[in-house]
Amino acid sequence: MLEICREYITALRIKIAIGETEDPVRSTELSAYFTHCNLQPSHLLLALRSAMVTSFKHKNFIVAASFARRLLELPDVNSARNAQLRVKATKVLQKSEQMARNENELNYDAGAPFVVDCASLVPLYPSDAIVKCSYCGSTYGKEWKGSVCLTCQLSKVGEQTLGLVTGK
C-alpha cells in the first residue's frame, strides 16, 4: 500500500508542477515523467493522453508518437467508451510519424529506464547517484541527502534505519 501511495503522491506533485509552469519545454518534460509513475491502468491512460496532447501541441512529434503508441497498446483503449481516444491517438501517431521531429530538446529519453527525482522532478538514470527515503522509498538525487522526504514527510532522505524511529 505504501508503494501505491508513494507513486500517486509523486504523480500528483508532477501534475501540480505542470499546472504551475509556463515553459512549454518543462511542461512537456513533466507530462512525460508523469507517464512513468506506476499508476492504475485507467489513470495511466489519462496520463498518456495528456502527455500525447501536450507533446503534440508543443510540436514534439517524436515523443508524441511514443505516447500515442503506448496509449494504443493499453487494453482499456479498445473499449467502446474510449473509441474517440483511440481514433485521436491513431491520428496523432500518423501525423507525428509524418512530421518526425521534436521542436525542443527535452530532458527525456523514452527508451531509457529511469525513476523520477521526487524533489527536482527530473529523471534519475541507473548511472546517477541516488538516495532513498528509508520509510516510503522515494528516490532523490544525492544532493538531497539529509533533507526531509517530500513524499511522506516522515523520514530523512538517505538515512539508514531498521524501520520508523519515533523517539529516543
Side-chain angles (χ1 to χ4, degrees):
M1 184 64 152
L2 185 60
E3 291 83 14
I4 293 169
C5 292
R6 178 191 65 229
E7 291 295 321
Y8 273 83
I9 289 170
T10 301
L12 289 173
R13 290 186 59 240
I14 292 170
K15 193 68 175 160
I16 289 167
I18 291 169
E20 292 174 347
T21 187
E22 294 180 20
D23 179 12
V25 174
R26 183 67 176 151
S27 175
T28 304
E29 290 171 346
L30 288 167
S31 294
Y33 308 153
F34 187 49
T35 69
H36 288 270
C37 293
N38 189 13
L39 305 174
Q40 297 294 317
S42 60
H43 299 146
L44 178 59
L45 185 130
L46 296 173
L48 286 167
R49 181 186 70 186
S50 175
M52 176 186 73
V53 169
T54 300
S55 300
F56 192 82
K57 181 172 89 174
H58 297 301
K59 297 182 169 89
N60 293 301
F61 299 111
I62 295 170
V63 291
S66 74
F67 296 132
R69 275 189 214 95
R70 284 178 60 196
L71 189 58
L72 291 168
E73 290 171 359
L74 292 177
D76 289 357
V77 84
N78 292 320
S79 69
R81 69 173 190 215
N82 290 320
Q84 284 184 315
L85 179 58
R86 185 175 56 249
V87 169
K88 183 175 187 172
T90 303
K91 287 180 182 179
V92 167
L93 179 60
Q94 290 170 347
K95 181 69 173 176
S96 295
E97 286 177 340
Q98 189 178 48
M99 299 303 286
R101 64 176 174 79
N102 281 339
E103 182 78 18
N104 310 105
E105 186 174 330
L106 303 174
N107 183 15
Y108 174 70
D109 181 358
F114 68 87
V115 292
V116 176
D117 182 320
C118 290
S120 56
L121 303 178
V122 296
L124 295 171
Y125 298 99
S127 62
D128 295 332
I130 63 167
V131 289
K132 290 189 173 209
C133 171
S134 59
Y135 179 68
C136 71
S138 291
T139 309
Y140 295 85
K142 66 180 179 178
E143 66 274 10
W144 297 98
K145 184 174 182 165
S147 62
V148 175
C149 177
L150 297 172
T151 303
C152 67
Q153 299 181 1
L154 293 173
S155 180
K156 284 188 177 178
V157 174
E159 297 282 322
Q160 296 293 323
T161 66
L162 294 175
L164 182 61
V165 179
T166 59
K168 291 185 179 181

